[in-house]
Amino acid sequence: MNTVGELRLNFLNRQPIFVLKLLGGASLEARDGPIAGRATQRHRLALLALLAIYGERGQTRERLMAYLWPERDTEHARQLLNQAVHSLRKTLGQAALLSAGDHLRLNPEVVSADVAELDGALARGNHGAAAALYRGPFLDGFFLPEAPEFERWTQGERDRLATAYAQALEALAEAAERERDRGRAVEWWKTRAAHDPYDSRVALRLMQALEAAGNRTGALQHAGIHERLLRAEFGVEPAAEVLALAERLRREPAVRAQPRPDGEAGNGAAALPPAARWRKEASPPALGSTEPPGAATAARQSATSPSSTADTTLDPAAHESPAPAPLVTAPRPPTRPRPAVWYSLAVFLLCAVLIAIWLGRTLRSTPPPTAREPAIAVLPLANHSTDPRDAALADGMTEELIAVLARAGSLRVVGSTSAFAFRNRQLDVRRIADSLGVAHLLEGDLQKSGSRLRVRVRLLDARDGSTRWSETYDRELRDVFAVQDDIARAVARELGLRLGAATGTPLRRRPTRNVAAYELYLRGSDRFLIRSDSGLRQGLEFFRQAIALDSTYAAAWAGLARMYNVLSIDAPGPVRTQYRALAEEAARKAVALDDSLAEAHQTLGAIRMYRLDFTSAEQHLTRALALDPSRALTHEVMVRLLLWTGRPAEALAHAERALEVDPLSPTAHAELARALLGTDRCDEALAELEKLSGLRPPLVRAAFIAAQCYAHKGRWPEAIAALRPQAERGDRQALGLLGYMLARAGQREEALRIHAALLEEWRRGAGEAFEVALVYAGLGDLDQTATWFDRAIADRSLGFALMRVGPLFNDVRGDPRFERLRERLGLQRR
């Protein structure tokens, strides 16, 4: 019997009154066998699973209702919960479920749960017991229809437990290696590789363990199996380290393993194999980390490679797998027209408009750089390679230099939107510097030839265009990270700064050692990919391939999260929920691997805000800004969060900072207008939006902000006119807000027609509750508004509205029911 089987038999040799098994499936057992009947209906088992995970903390009835019956109104959901509790107590005894006020919890003295046992073993550091308890993925094969929030929660717990199991296996394998128990180390690494057969890092460790045990043939066989799996599933090669070790094993003569006194194989070496050091550097945080590793466990597509998304399902059940994979499989992006597709093109068009405005009149006064805050812009590196695809490498290095320099807390670094606006523009150095409010410019070019890389850069003084410093770097491509460091340090030295001094974080984020993975990451980061759905799918594929080559590459996970988040913006409700779940999984994985990734924290912050978890959202956004103050987008997300949590003055400060670091960004101008609206400075907000009027296609959020400004001033015809074009293009939230405006303007008949259409959409499952709530609020029906706001919280459409509908409904806020709703969401009184 293998090691895992032996431990399982030893550990599970006891009989509780009832046993709840949630690992590898879902079942409830008594001493005399499995329990059937009403107590094991899906919603009952789901309720037990929730209570088992939350343990002694328990969970409120209201939250349990939101998880299990989100499609029901509050009264009906409460009845269903009461029925489920009654049925479980009837079967398991009154003491099985304990009540304390509005909280429910599972009584571990009556019902023992394998997940609770597993968490307890992990907390005690008993990795053997944890490995014995893990029989398979959490709630494997279990699906609860019409409960997307429960599915998202299940996926997160499945992720957490699978990652913890993997870490326990690695701890056991490494302990065996330290004890020179080569045979046992091999068994544990085999179990770990079976758990995740696509991870090249794990394949490498198993090969090294087999070599150390004298089984070179086995090591070569596993290399072949791993290589065939990656090629068949993803069309990529294994990590270079795996190929190199296999080649060495083929060429070098075999060395007979020296037997240990106890008869077990060993090589007599005092140190671990060379990969041990690599494992220490690249491994995820320990189990005690405050941010659980969010390794994505959405299933691989069956019978297709990730490069083909035609057969990908939207059914959440199809995103389950018997073992977590190093890739996240996306639902197919919607094929309907998406306004967000035009965002990148809009950025470039707007930049041209803004530059023209700047040449003729002032956009917004930017304080000149001072000695206290030196400022720099990194202009896009020119691609001098013969292959035009290497433009992604040049752009990627530009972005990396911006991020690294931003870690000098006393240096203002212009954001990438504004910096890239000057690509290929033959403008005078001083004019560029004046428009961006900087004292220095960094420019240069990049040329790639085979595995060689040449980078030429120079630091310019904006006052007279003189060169303060220049350098040419001729290196191997694998040294690209060292080149970035050298450039950043040289610039900082010239400016008299210390990189990383303000944040205390490493100079740059943890790179990959796989150059091919890095190139795939850069290609996935190409800003042109978000212009179309096909481009987004291509970007997802690049990130997946990078992760297949190096599953510990945190930046690739963060890029994957970014793509899913972009896809979610204009997706229909259920698909949007799925995309956000995938984005959150990937972002959590990135943070678990490298907590210094600002992009991953920003994505997590945005998603937590949409989920109305404002405390967690603010923590991640604050962390992102501490890591990279030059990310204007993080400031913009913070604007929306602070407005909803009742801090308009702080929101305005972040909006102004976003525009300061990225002065040509259209979204920064829009979010400044939103913040000005939040501080009742509507005339200034409208003036800011006027600067975006020449943008084609128009920026979607600008219409929402302008309409609210006009509504705040009682200018209903202008408010209606601002929203009509977007509503007529099929934007249901624009239609809902238009219904609100029409009702307030006295045009109730048209408002009622909109209400009827939105209600019918909602009943068919195509609409969302917040759209209906908007019209009810305009009609002044506070009872129905309260009911539909509750539904909007349950279906998460209220969270999506954070993007578009800012502070509104002053008369609604005066109702006590809405004050209770604000308290429920943890919002401050404005």
Side-chain angles (χ1 to χ4, degrees):
M1 181 176 293
N2 63 29
T3 308
V4 175
E6 291 172 348
L7 279 170
R8 181 169 293 138
L9 284 177
N10 292 334
F11 184 78
L12 298 181
N13 189 23
R14 60 190 185 89
Q15 295 291 326
I17 302 174
F18 296 101
V19 178
L20 178 63
K21 294 183 177 180
L22 303 172
L23 295 168
S27 64
L28 184 62
E29 298 180 4
R31 291 179 179 176
D32 55 352
I35 294 175
R38 296 173 61 86
T40 56
Q41 291 179 356
R42 284 190 174 271
H43 278 83
R44 270 74 160 172
L45 285 175
L47 173 60
L48 290 173
L50 284 160
L51 296 178
I53 290 291
Y54 283 107
E56 293 184 356
R57 293 172 294 162
Q59 188 56 270
T60 65
R61 291 175 180 266
E62 189 173 22
R63 193 74 186 109
L64 293 169
M65 289 154 49
Y67 273 127
L68 302 175
W69 297 281
E71 78 283 4
R72 308 288 187 175
D73 59 57
T74 303
E75 182 179 353
H76 193 186
R78 189 173 294 277
Q79 290 176 354
L80 291 171
L81 176 61
N82 290 340
Q83 289 172 10
V85 171
H86 174 75
S87 177
L88 288 169
R89 283 176 169 163
K90 185 176 180 180
T91 302
L92 306 177
Q94 288 295 316
L97 273 64
L98 303 177
S99 301
D102 197 42
H103 274 68
L104 279 175
R105 69 181 180 90
L106 195 64
N107 186 350
E109 296 180 1
V110 178
V111 181
S112 171
D114 54 1
V115 290
E117 297 279 1
L118 175 60
D119 281 333
L122 293 170
R124 296 189 301 272
N126 191 340
H127 299 116
L133 281 159
Y134 190 87
R135 290 180 296 273
F138 177 65
L139 288 178
D140 191 27
F142 186 90
F143 174 64
L144 199 62
E146 298 180 347
E149 178 66 9
F150 177 78
E151 288 303 308
R152 186 206 61 77
W153 173 83
T154 300
Q155 193 71 26
E157 289 302 313
R158 188 176 294 144
D159 240 11
R160 177 182 70 84
L161 294 165
T163 302
Y165 171 60
Q167 291 178 327
L169 292 175
E170 293 192 20
L172 290 163
E174 290 173 347
E177 288 176 335
R178 288 192 296 271
E179 297 167 3
R180 307 287 200 280
D181 191 343
R182 305 302 182 191
R184 193 158 56 96
V186 166
E187 289 304 309
W188 286 121
W189 281 120
K190 281 183 177 179
T191 306
R192 176 67 178 91
H195 179 67
D196 193 352
Y198 301 102
D199 192 329
S200 288
R201 178 185 61 81
V202 175
L204 180 68
R205 294 302 298 272
L206 173 55
M207 290 171 63
Q208 290 171 330
L210 286 163
E211 181 193 13
N215 189 355
R216 294 161 63 91
T217 301
L220 285 169
Q221 286 175 344
H222 186 71
I225 292 170
H226 181 66
E227 185 175 1
R228 288 193 295 274
L229 277 173
L230 287 182
R231 284 178 176 169
E233 283 288 320
F234 311 122
V236 299
E237 297 293 322
E241 292 88 350
V242 173
L243 297 175
L245 177 56
E247 184 63 22
R248 178 174 66 78
L249 291 174
R250 291 188 189 99
R251 291 185 176 183
E252 289 182 359
V255 177
R256 182 179 296 275
Q258 298 298 319
R260 288 180 46 165
D262 58 7
E264 293 178 356
N267 61 6
L272 290 174
R277 293 189 298 276
W278 179 86
R279 169 69 179 87
K280 185 176 181 181
E281 293 169 2
S283 63
L287 291 173
S289 170
T290 55
E291 179 69 28
T297 56
R300 298 173 290 278
Q301 300 174 37
S302 59
T304 63
S305 85
S307 60
S308 172
T309 57
D311 297 326
T312 311
T313 179
L314 297 181
D315 184 353
H319 291 272
E320 301 171 5
S321 122
L327 304 179
V328 177
T329 304
R332 183 175 184 178
T335 55
R336 62 188 180 87
R338 298 173 55 256
V341 161
W342 296 93
Y343 172 73
S344 183
L345 177 61
V347 168
F348 288 104
L349 290 174
L350 181 65
C351 287
V353 172
L354 293 180
I355 291 171
I357 294 173
W358 155 65
L359 291 172
R361 60 186 176 90
T362 302
L363 235 177
R364 176 176 173 82
S365 60
T366 303
T370 65
R372 289 185 177 180
E373 188 187 39
I376 189 172
V378 182
L379 299 181
L381 297 179
N383 175 34
H384 285 182
S385 303
T386 56
D387 187 348
R389 293 180 301 173
D390 289 334
L393 182 61
D395 288 351
M397 179 166 282
T398 304
E399 298 270 13
E400 291 285 341
L401 288 172
I402 291 173
V404 173
L405 287 169
R407 297 199 174 216
S410 56
L411 179 66
R412 181 170 64 85
V413 184
V414 170
S416 59
T417 300
S418 297
F420 277 80
F422 293 94
R423 183 202 297 272
N424 301 326
R425 292 187 178 274
Q426 303 301 316
L427 295 177
D428 178 74
V429 169
R430 282 189 293 181
R431 296 176 73 184
I432 296 175
D434 288 343
S435 70
L436 298 177
V438 299
H440 298 89
L441 296 172
L442 185 68
E443 65 172 17
D445 58 69
L446 177 148
Q447 183 176 4
K448 177 175 173 280
S449 178
S451 64
R452 298 291 298 178
L453 185 70
R454 168 174 286 186
V455 182
R456 297 184 298 182
V457 288
R458 61 176 183 152
L459 179 66
L460 304 176
D461 190 323
R463 292 171 297 183
D464 55 12
S466 62
T467 300
R468 287 192 56 169
W469 165 83
S470 65
E471 186 62 84
T472 299
Y473 299 85
D474 283 302
R475 304 280 183 87
E476 287 290 324
L477 184 58
R478 64 174 177 269
D479 297 325
V480 63
F481 304 109
V483 172
Q484 293 167 3
D485 283 4
D486 291 345
I487 293 172
R489 291 187 190 279
V491 170
R493 185 170 56 249
E494 284 295 323
L495 300 179
L497 303 170
R498 288 179 56 214
L499 289 176
T503 63
T505 56
L507 175 62
R508 57 176 165 81
R509 59 195 181 191
R510 185 182 302 157
T512 177
R513 295 189 176 191
N514 190 308
V515 175
Y518 178 67
E519 288 194 82
L520 286 165
Y521 165 76
L522 293 180
R523 297 191 193 288
S525 300
D526 189 341
R527 59 186 52 232
F528 289 94
L529 291 179
I530 63 172
R531 290 185 175 186
S532 66
D533 285 339
S534 61
L536 286 166
R537 287 196 295 272
Q538 187 178 6
L540 285 169
E541 175 63 345
F542 283 136
F543 289 129
R544 288 196 200 102
Q545 290 183 19
I547 292 166
L549 293 176
D550 183 356
S551 63
T552 66
Y553 190 11
W557 285 105
L560 200 67
R562 180 179 71 247
M563 282 297 189
Y564 283 135
N565 201 33
V566 172
L567 280 167
S568 75
I569 292 175
D570 291 293
V575 179
R576 183 170 67 242
T577 300
Q578 184 72 18
Y579 281 139
R580 286 208 175 125
L582 293 170
E584 184 173 17
E585 290 170 7
R588 286 173 53 226
K589 175 68 173 179
V591 168
L593 291 168
D594 184 359
D595 187 59
S596 69
L597 276 175
E599 179 183 0
H601 282 287
Q602 176 197 298
T603 302
L604 270 177
I607 292 170
R608 299 283 167 81
M609 183 180 72
Y610 300 145
R611 284 172 36 199
L612 309 178
D613 185 356
F614 298 113
T615 300
S616 177
E618 186 167 359
Q619 289 171 349
H620 283 289
L621 292 174
T622 301
R623 174 67 173 154
L625 288 173
L627 292 167
D628 186 356
S630 74
R631 289 184 69 83
L633 184 57
T634 310
H635 288 284
E636 294 170 23
V637 178
M638 187 69 93
V639 168
R640 297 194 288 272
L641 174 67
L642 291 169
L643 286 175
W644 268 76
T645 53
R647 291 174 283 171
E650 293 177 53
L652 182 58
H654 278 279
E656 290 173 337
R657 184 60 179 173
L659 196 58
E660 187 176 58
V661 298
D662 215 349
L664 300 183
S665 166
T667 56
H669 282 271
E671 291 307 316
L672 177 61
R674 191 194 304 274
L676 289 167
L677 164 64
T679 54
D680 298 332
R681 294 159 62 178
C682 289
D683 288 335
E684 293 175 64
L686 290 170
E688 199 65 36
L689 293 174
E690 179 61 25
K691 299 169 185 177
L692 309 180
S693 60
L695 184 61
R696 293 294 179 272
L699 194 65
V700 172
R701 74 187 74 176
F704 284 85
I705 299 168
Q708 292 174 73
C709 285
Y710 289 127
H712 188 76
K713 296 169 67 67
R715 294 163 58 179
W716 300 110
E718 291 97 326
I720 292 168
L723 284 170
R724 274 200 190 279
Q726 190 64 25
E728 290 170 357
R729 280 192 287 266
D731 188 323
R732 285 196 303 267
Q733 281 210 346
L735 189 61
L737 190 55
L738 177 62
Y740 172 93
M741 301 295 181
L742 288 165
R744 290 303 172 95
Q747 301 180 44
R748 292 179 62 86
E749 185 175 342
E750 186 175 358
L752 288 170
R753 286 200 297 270
I754 290 174
H755 166 263
L758 290 174
L759 190 59
E760 178 61 26
E761 287 277 291
W762 180 84
R763 285 170 176 162
R764 291 192 300 106
E768 294 179 332
F770 185 73
E771 300 152 4
V772 181
L774 279 169
V775 187
Y776 273 126
L779 293 167
D781 189 337
L782 296 186
D783 290 337
Q784 287 293 341
T785 305
T787 298
W788 285 88
F789 267 17
D790 276 333
R791 290 174 178 166
I793 293 173
D795 72 7
R796 298 302 181 195
S797 58
L798 180 62
F800 182 57
L802 294 172
M803 287 188 62
R804 296 186 170 183
V805 180
L808 205 60
F809 317 134
N810 286 331
D811 54 343
V812 171
R813 287 196 191 94
D815 190 283
R817 287 168 293 189
F818 292 92
E819 187 56 35
R820 289 194 295 271
L821 182 146
R822 292 182 63 80
E823 292 174 357
R824 173 181 165 189
L825 297 178
L827 298 173
Q828 299 179 16
R829 185 190 298 271
R830 293 189 68 239

